[in-house]
Amino acid sequence: MRARTAAAAVSNVNNMATEVGKRNQIHEYIGETHNQLRDGYGVYYYPNKFFRYEGEWSKGKKHGHGKFIMADGSFYEGEFKDNEMTGHGFRFWARNQNNYTGNFCCGELQGTGVMKYSDGSVYEGEWWNNKRHGYGVHRMINVGVFEGNFHEHLRHGEGSQLYINGDKYEGDWVRDKRQGHGEERSNDGSIYEGQWRNDMKNGEGTMIHCSGYIYQGLWLNNVPEKLTTKLVICIETPTIDVTQGQSFSIRVECRSDDDDEVIPDNGRELRVLAGFRHIQPKEGTALFDMIEDVEETIISTPFGYDIVPYPLTDQLIELDSLELIKSNTDLTIPETDTEEVSGDETEHIEPTLELEHTMDSINLEGSTAAAAAAAAAAEAAAVEAGTERVGSPVPPPIPTLRTEEGCAVWDPLTLATAPPMYRPFTVLDDEALNVLPSSGSSPQTRRKSRISKDEDGENGLTELIEEEDKVSLKKRLGDERFARPGEYVIMVEDVTNPPFLDRRPQPAFILVKLSALKKQKKVKEPKKKWDTEKSIASAMGASMVGHIKAHRGINGS
């Protein structure tokens, strides 16, 4: 009966709309009544002409299911109680195209409900006085998803935020900012757990970086209070002085520029490498034409010159393989008969001023094409003999180390022999062999080593050094099984990947001065002088003993 009455009321509303407009009444109700009160289904036009209600009435009040329509296209459809939008309903706002489905109380969004925003964001959870309040899930476009507590539209209390880039934070919030204790897991695998304030890491916290680096301590505005800004090689002297074949150690500390204090970093990855002065051949020379296209890794140093990498090893040199190569090359200078290498008692050989800039590193082996050919021949001979060397003559790089409490130590380290055709030595040798002094020959009679071009236009080296010059070179080179004497640079750098906070501390440098081994003559024991009296006495004593033995034999005693 009520359904038929409501349908009839709607028909009457449509038929009388024109008549109502003509009468220009300030308000109008068309529908069912009871005891002269609106009761049942009806349509009511408000005096300001902006609002209209269509739905159920009870005792003159909107009560039951109805639709409240506004002239701009906004509306509410749902439950009414005692003239108010109370209960479950649907609300649409024409101005921003947002819509809400859920609970209402006295026209306010209150209880649980789902708000769909025009930009695609969605909130599903609790409301109070038209604001997100209580527990809910907010899926925000271009931001991410928050699940947790809200207070007056803001994230407040405990909650979890999954950001659009994959980062995730779980912990405390205060007025839409991370504050209190929380854990952040970054999309690169890094983890921070500790205190937050004003949406930044502030207070005590621990960062386990994706590179393996670990920092535990105080944070200020997303940055550790104590941050490593430089690496320092711990040594009492300005240089490391060693002789050929002698190993050394490197201890590195992570420090801060502010107070030069050791920062207890754990897991920072450090790499050590060696280098030799970068020397450019003179333009126009045959050597320049030979190697001008060779690519080199050039490293700047604080010593006023650049370096190129030089092989460094943490392994003992295998003397057997070195002897094998030495026996198969014709560039080795013969040893003298009265000298031998002593590794315990050595003396440094100081180069003359004339050759100081070149003779620190002179080695006939590996400095020329002929030396390279000889090395290749030695390698082939070793293969044929079944005693070949495995891999490249250049040793493998030194393994990186992880810091512990801000420190890392490499022990032992040794400068290896230079690889064939090592460019700085090649340039030095070319220069040195053309200025090498000769004590026994005049400039008119002495021929020097030079680089020339043969008839086919290819580069070749003519080795025409006199024997006395070879001996002089050998004394300056020391033991050819080891790195040649000279000044080397050791560098320690941070290779943590990715770098912590996108920062790398300044690398550390130290000079290593390598001296040649001085060969010492064998110590000969002094010959005993002839003592005539002692010899006669000894002979007489032996004769007397023989006589006594003979006498006893005759007497049977």
Side-chain angles (χ1 to χ4, degrees), residues 192-212:
Y192 170 82
E193 183 178 2
Q195 297 299 310
W196 296 76
R197 181 173 61 83
N198 197 29
D199 215 34
M200 292 186 290
K201 303 176 186 69
N202 277 286
E204 290 291 328
T206 299
M207 164 74 80
I208 303 175
H209 195 246
C210 59
S211 64

Side-chain angles (χ1 to χ4, degrees), residues 23-48:
R23 289 184 303 194
N24 196 25
Q25 295 181 353
I26 59 174
H27 62 88
E28 181 70 28
Y29 171 76
I30 301 173
E32 297 178 291
T33 61
H34 181 72
N35 293 332
Q36 298 184 346
L37 296 175
R38 292 183 286 271
D39 196 293
Y41 187 86
V43 178
Y44 179 74
Y45 295 87
Y46 283 79
N48 60 11

Side-chain angles (χ1 to χ4, degrees), residues 239-260:
T239 62
I240 299 176
D241 296 319
V242 293
T243 55
Q244 288 180 309
Q246 181 181 355
S247 63
F248 55 93
S249 63
I250 293 290
R251 174 185 172 87
V252 180
E253 293 181 346
C254 302
R255 295 188 185 180
S256 170
D257 282 323
D258 296 335
D259 49 16
D260 205 33

Side-chain angles (χ1 to χ4, degrees), residues 240-242 244 275-276 305 349 351 356 358-362 415 425 428 476-477 483-489 511-516:
I240 299 176
D241 296 319
V242 293
Q244 288 180 309
F276 191 83
Y305 57 84
I349 299 179
E356 182 175 358
T358 57
M359 284 308 180
D360 282 342
S361 51
I362 297 176
L415 292 166
F425 292 173
L428 284 175
R476 298 182 185 280
L477 294 176
R484 64 170 62 184
E487 183 178 87
Y488 297 81
V489 176
L511 289 175
V512 174
K513 292 187 177 180
L514 183 65
S515 301

